[in-house]
Amino acid sequence: MTALTIATTPIAGQKPGTSGLRKKTPVFMGPHYLNNFVQAIFDAIGGAAGKTFVLGGDGRYFNDSAAQIILKMAAANGAARVIVGQGAVLSTPAASHLIRLNKTDGGIIMSASHNPGGPEEDFGVKFNMANGGPAPEAVTEAMFAITETIREYRMSDAPDIDLNAIGRVQLDGMVVDVVDPVADYADLMESLFDFKALRAIFANGFTMRFDAMCAVTGPYGIEILENRLGAAKGTVTHGTPLPDFGGMHPDPNPTWAHELMDEMFGADAPDFGAASDGDGDRNMVVGRGIYVSPSDSLAVLAANAHLAPGYARGLAGVARSMPTSAAADRVADALGIGKYETPTGWKFFGNLLDSGKATLCGEESFGTGSDHVREKDGLWAVLLWLNILAVRQQTVAQIMADHWAKYGRNYYSRHDFEAIATDKADAMMAALRASLPSLKGRQIEGMEIAAADDFAYTDPVDGSVSARQGVRILFTDGARIVMRLSGTGTEGATLRVYLERYAAGPEGLDHDPQQALAPVIRAAHELAGIEGYTGRVTPDVIT
């Protein structure tokens, strides 16, 4: 067994997005493609020699083969040790926890998150730093620069190792520890939440449904909810991870988790419903007959986190991505704690968490988390909700009604227009940006525009600046439109339109969000010329 140096040439387009590099699986399986990017990762962090890494993925198609390649490259680059989940599987939050628990030098996560999986679908690779969080822009830019000049990569010619057998093996002089992917994460959850109280509500007849969407959180949900908390067998549905997610789109929103939505709005609905995504870092929360938007969920968790043992001390602050509604800001103001607005991308929360400025973070794209790891965490959010329900002894609908009565309601929705021709999407956004200086004071749909800009963020910890993070149009009555092109798809462009309107109450707190937002929706279409540029009137996904 020897470490080989293999000649290669740059491959165009290996620029990581907000969560690593994502492409169609056949692209990743092409000659040198994965190898080039992995070598760029190692080179961008100053080499792998003597370092320890965590490795795992969401189990999608090509996950197992990619893991073998990455392990052999780590060995050839001189890594001392790799901790890998059994079967090369780890949820993204579990990987973040293992990086922090074992004080490793970082980790490589194989996932395209909520994107579909399969031979013709999506694959992805990202690097997480020693703090457990996604690589910041300076590091991902360094990776990209290396992919544009790479001339060789290093890889061992050792045979594949058995990643299904837990234990320690050697790979060309490098230690490989294959570990239970669930146990350490489940122990962490037990340290944060009152499992005794949760066992009690299930014993008293509380019912729930957790849809794992044939993705990575199935085994985590079964171990924690059914085995440790005593929820009825079958509480976890679609609990077996499959390489193609059983043909499902593992994105926990009302469109793709329609089976759960149908059940929760049906005649015999359980008390509580939730779903997670491909790699386990997102969550959707549904009560009996009520859907909870991610923005509202973040606000409710912030207002009630102190009810869970792990957060009894209170929160240092709450951070949200800029497109996320301002509902959490109202809670932060009431609690007298810090509030932070960042660009989209979990990596922007890392400094706030590491510095102790924020305890809870959330994104409207169904991601919520805290300082227990440096990733969003789907099951964590579900368990915090369960802890709140156990203490308050109310239904989800009652908790939401109480919250809106106290803080008012930020009606909120996101409209996604998917797979738009990239040139048309870029032209539309360029025209919209060009119009921004002239929008202040304009009357549209009975509302007056107070300000319009292209969001730029200055990190309060390290002073780094991130510009052009999304167009914002703010109205004098507190309504808001945000538009940005997503960086998480693999073909064409996805236009995300975020819509928000505030109702202070006590009247007007129980409207359908799409109806409450109707004038804001019409204004967004007119201001951006969406139909003219894209030919679309109706979004593909509404959340």
Side-chain angles (χ1 to χ4, degrees), residues 101-307:
L101 180 68
N102 294 281
K103 297 181 169 59
T104 74
D105 297 287
I108 295 177
I109 298 174
M110 302 170 291
S111 173
S113 188
H114 54 295
N115 294 7
E120 302 300 323
E121 295 295 348
D122 298 344
F123 193 77
V125 175
K126 72 171 182 172
F127 184 77
N128 280 31
M129 306 295 283
N131 73 341
E137 284 188 317
V139 177
T140 57
E141 288 293 339
M143 292 175 194
F144 178 50
I146 291 165
T147 68
E148 294 188 301
T149 60
I150 191 168
R151 290 291 178 262
E152 62 185 30
Y153 59 82
R154 291 174 286 286
M155 184 168 172
S156 170
D157 63 356
D160 289 355
I161 60 176
D162 183 2
L163 294 178
N164 291 312
I166 291 177
R168 173 168 288 190
V169 294
Q170 296 279 332
L171 175 63
D172 211 359
M174 181 182 76
V175 172
V176 179
D177 285 319
V178 181
V179 301
D180 183 324
V182 176
D184 286 325
Y185 174 85
D187 290 346
L188 174 64
M189 294 301 103
E190 194 156 359
S191 75
L192 294 173
F193 303 113
D194 187 347
F195 273 32
K196 182 179 179 181
L198 298 187
R199 281 191 289 268
I201 63 169
F202 283 116
N204 289 334
F206 182 89
T207 56
M208 77 170 286
R209 188 73 68 242
F210 178 78
D211 191 341
M213 304 191 85
C214 296
V216 77
T217 49
Y220 294 83
I222 291 169
E223 170 61 20
I224 294 171
L225 297 171
E226 297 184 8
N227 297 347
R228 298 198 184 194
L229 296 180
K233 298 300 180 186
T235 291
V236 177
T237 60
H238 301 121
T240 302
L242 299 172
D244 65 349
F245 305 121
M248 300 178 75
H249 187 153
D251 191 355
N253 63 49
T255 299
W256 298 119
H258 53 85
E259 286 186 31
L260 176 66
M261 293 295 289
D262 290 346
E263 183 173 10
M264 295 306 301
F265 282 79
D268 300 312
D271 296 301
F272 183 66
S276 191
D277 70 328
D279 67 334
D281 64 355
R282 297 179 184 223
N283 73 94
M284 181 176 76
V285 168
V286 196
R288 182 184 288 138
I290 182 170
Y291 161 71
V292 182
S293 78
S295 292
D296 277 339
S297 181
L298 174 63
V300 169
L301 296 182
N304 294 276
H306 64 280
L307 300 178

